[in-house]
Amino acid sequence: MRSLAFIFLVSVSLSASAQSAYDKYFTDKALRIDFALSGNINFQSAALIQLREEPTWGGPRKNLIDPFNYGGYLMFAYSAKDGQLVYSRGFNTLFEEWRTTDAAQYETQSWTNSIVMPFPRDSVRLVLLGRNRETNNNDTLMALDIDPSSIFIDRGRLHDNPVKDLQIKGLPAEKVDFVFLAEGYKSDELEKFFADADSLAEALFKTPPYDQRREDFNIRAVFVESADAGTDFSGKGIFKNTALNSGFYTFGLDRYLTTPDIKSIRDALWNTPCDAIFVIVNSEVYGGGGIYNYYAIGTADNERTKNVFVHELGHSFAGLADEYFTSDVAYNEFYNPDYEPWEPNITTLKDFDSKWKAMLPASTPVPTPLEEPYADKLGVFEGGGYVSKGVFRPMDHCMMRDYHPFCPVCTKSILQIIDYLSDK
């Protein structure tokens, strides 16, 4: 009994200490940093566009330092007073993917991006790092000294969009605040959007492991009106006037649905607690996309909509890689075979100890042959990350390959992210 009491007291003490750290360094508001990423296949750089104060920080207040080291970009915030690391987060961008396409070999482009952190009480130094694919190092792309009292921080109100609470289970800091966002819905389609969002939410909570963690989620649906219904199909010469400027044919792929307009997404959610975003596009065409700690997107009315939703959320929410290896993609050697990828569900075996090695029975060969008695078990099967050789996945079938149930490795990763964002 004494041991249990001691453990409880230590847990309470650590929790109080973490909350005290948040209160010391941050307010209840959020700081949005809009910045441009520019470059091509050979280089990239970052530059500030604007800073915005927003009314609500919906993220965790105890888990302020990102333990996962996921993403192509890493953001760190340090207290200017004592040099303490007070906040960090990893994320991906669509620009990062563009840099691996053919176009990046002969063009230089600039793309707008946004990151959000708790609003600091005192000055902080923000450092943005980008992973260097050739060296596996993290290069400094931008360093900013931010004074929270600066007159150059935009503190204005933006448009109040209609919001429907699909389920609220607790305070934003103690729950995963998941937001559905409307794209390509006209003014008279508000109720259709809310119904589409509710349908996807129910589908999520029927999918393991989310089905066991419903109580850890707040779900909201934010309606943004578009002038036209649907989305762009640039490969067919079809362009629509929509709120978030989404479209198929991203990087020339007909099924790859994204938007480069992250600013419009963040503007739409300026006053809504938000840990994860899914953009619902008012279309029946198959397709979607997911970018880690950025957003996921998919269509509302395709027969495979719910599968696409859960799959793309695997990318954006849990940092999971695609495990398929036979589909056409627009990337050129997206993973460097000389280094271990950061995604938790694929490996090049360069540092397999950091992946799911500890989850394997000692008798499992590495790599694992796709034959009995291993074929339907956890192993190390060649093929994943869009290539058939040199990249390995945990199981033959998984949601991240072909819409089968999540494998144990992906399941573990999803649960870890839920725990992190719900401050467990």
Side-chain angles (χ1 to χ4, degrees):
M1 289 296 292
R2 288 181 178 179
S3 295
L4 290 175
F6 175 76
I7 291 171
F8 174 76
L9 289 174
V10 169
S11 176
V12 170
S13 176
L14 290 174
S15 176
S17 176
Q19 180 63 49
S20 175
Y22 182 93
D23 293 338
K24 176 181 178 180
Y25 292 110
F26 300 112
T27 73
D28 292 337
K29 297 181 180 181
L31 175 65
R32 188 177 108 195
I33 303 102
D34 293 342
F35 63 100
L37 284 171
S38 303
N40 54 40
I41 193 172
N42 296 313
F43 82 95
Q44 64 175 329
S45 62
L48 178 67
I49 297 175
Q50 73 162 354
L51 301 174
R52 270 191 53 81
E53 178 188 272
E54 298 186 334
T56 304
W57 169 247
R61 298 194 176 200
K62 300 172 190 173
N63 298 331
L64 295 172
I65 309 304
D66 188 339
F68 302 110
N69 201 36
Y70 293 170
Y73 300 89
L74 302 168
M75 185 269 281
F76 299 91
Y78 300 89
S79 167
K81 282 188 173 180
D82 57 22
Q84 180 75 27
L85 176 64
V86 293
Y87 184 78
S88 69
R89 203 73 169 103
F91 62 98
N92 280 4
T93 73
L94 197 58
F95 176 77
E96 177 189 13
E97 295 184 20
W98 175 81
R99 291 186 67 222
T100 68
T101 66
D102 288 339
Q105 298 183 38
Y106 55 84
E107 292 179 3
T108 297
Q109 294 191 5
S110 182
W111 296 45
T112 300
N113 302 271
S114 294
I115 47 179
V116 182
M117 61 175 284
F119 197 89
R121 294 186 181 277
D122 299 300
S123 294
V124 294
R125 184 165 181 80
L126 185 143
V127 179
L128 176 66
L129 305 180
R131 293 186 194 268
N132 187 312
R133 187 180 173 281
E134 298 303 319
T135 65
N136 206 36
N137 295 326
N138 293 318
D139 298 335
T140 300
L141 303 180
M142 182 173 66
L144 299 172
D145 292 316
I146 300 174
D147 176 359
S149 66
S150 171
I151 63 172
F152 300 110
I153 297 177
D154 185 344
R155 304 172 199 271
R157 292 183 61 85
L158 299 177
H159 181 69
D160 289 321
N161 294 300
V163 180
K164 182 174 183 179
D165 294 339
L166 300 183
Q167 74 165 43
I168 302 298
K169 295 294 185 177
L171 297 173
E174 298 171 356
K175 302 297 174 182
V176 179
D177 289 286
F178 188 93
V179 179
F180 290 104
L181 186 58
E183 165 67 338
Y185 289 81
K186 298 175 70 173
S187 59
D188 61 352
E189 296 179 294
L190 180 146
E191 293 303 325
K192 178 185 186 305
F193 164 68
F194 286 150
D196 291 341
D198 189 64
S199 176
L200 289 181
E202 291 305 314
L204 182 67
F205 294 124
K206 291 178 182 176
T207 303
Y210 297 101
D211 60 337
Q212 302 299 314
R213 302 299 296 270
R214 183 166 192 154
E215 295 299 309
D216 290 310
F217 282 78
N218 293 331
I219 310 289
R220 298 174 176 88
V222 177
F223 181 76
V224 186
E225 179 184 333
S226 291
D228 294 334
T231 187
D232 293 349
F233 293 84
S234 59
K236 298 180 179 179
I238 298 172
F239 297 91
K240 300 293 185 73
N241 181 4
T242 59
L244 306 180
N245 299 302
S246 67
F248 284 93
Y249 289 89
T250 303
F251 310 141
L253 294 176
D254 59 352
R255 70 184 183 282
Y256 196 10
L257 172 63
T258 66
T259 174
D261 190 1
I262 190 67
K263 183 179 184 299
S264 290
I265 289 178
R266 296 308 323 188
D267 283 352
L269 302 176
W270 72 280
N271 58 353
T272 304
C274 179
D275 290 315
I277 303 163
F278 189 82
V279 178
I280 307 177
V281 178
N282 189 17
S283 171
E284 62 184 18
V285 178
Y286 173 77
I291 306 168
Y292 176 60
N293 254 352
Y294 225 46
Y295 66 81
I297 186 170
T299 56
D301 299 315
N302 187 268
E303 63 183 0
R304 290 189 283 180
T305 281
K306 292 176 181 178
N307 287 331
V308 171
F309 163 57
V310 176
H311 172 95
E312 300 300 350
L313 196 61
H315 294 309
S316 66
F317 182 70
L320 301 177
D322 280 316
E323 295 179 12
Y324 53 78
F325 49 90
T326 57
S327 299
D328 292 333
V329 294
Y331 315 130
N332 296 321
E333 299 178 353
F334 194 76
Y335 295 101
N336 189 328
D338 294 331
Y339 304 111
E340 188 67 33
W342 59 261
E343 292 91 337
N345 62 320
I346 59 171
T347 180
T348 56
L349 298 179
K350 296 298 181 181
D351 183 18
F352 186 47
D353 286 351
S354 68
K355 295 301 176 69
W356 62 93
K357 183 177 181 180
M359 299 174 66
L360 293 177
S363 60
T364 302
V366 178
T368 310
L370 193 55
E371 59 188 36
E372 294 297 337
Y374 310 110
D376 296 323
K377 297 181 174 62
L378 189 65
V380 188
F381 301 101
E382 192 161 26
Y386 322 119
V387 295
S388 59
K389 299 292 182 182
V391 176
F392 301 83
R393 65 192 188 278
M395 288 192 72
D396 188 22
H397 299 287
C398 176
M399 177 63 69
M400 301 313 295
R401 180 187 176 194
D402 49 14
Y403 300 148
H404 280 64
F406 284 110
C407 72
V409 173
C410 292
T411 294
K412 178 182 177 182
S413 297
I414 291 168
L415 293 175
Q416 287 176 332
I417 294 290
I418 293 174
D419 287 345
Y420 174 77
L421 291 175
S422 55
D423 252 347
K424 294 187 184 301

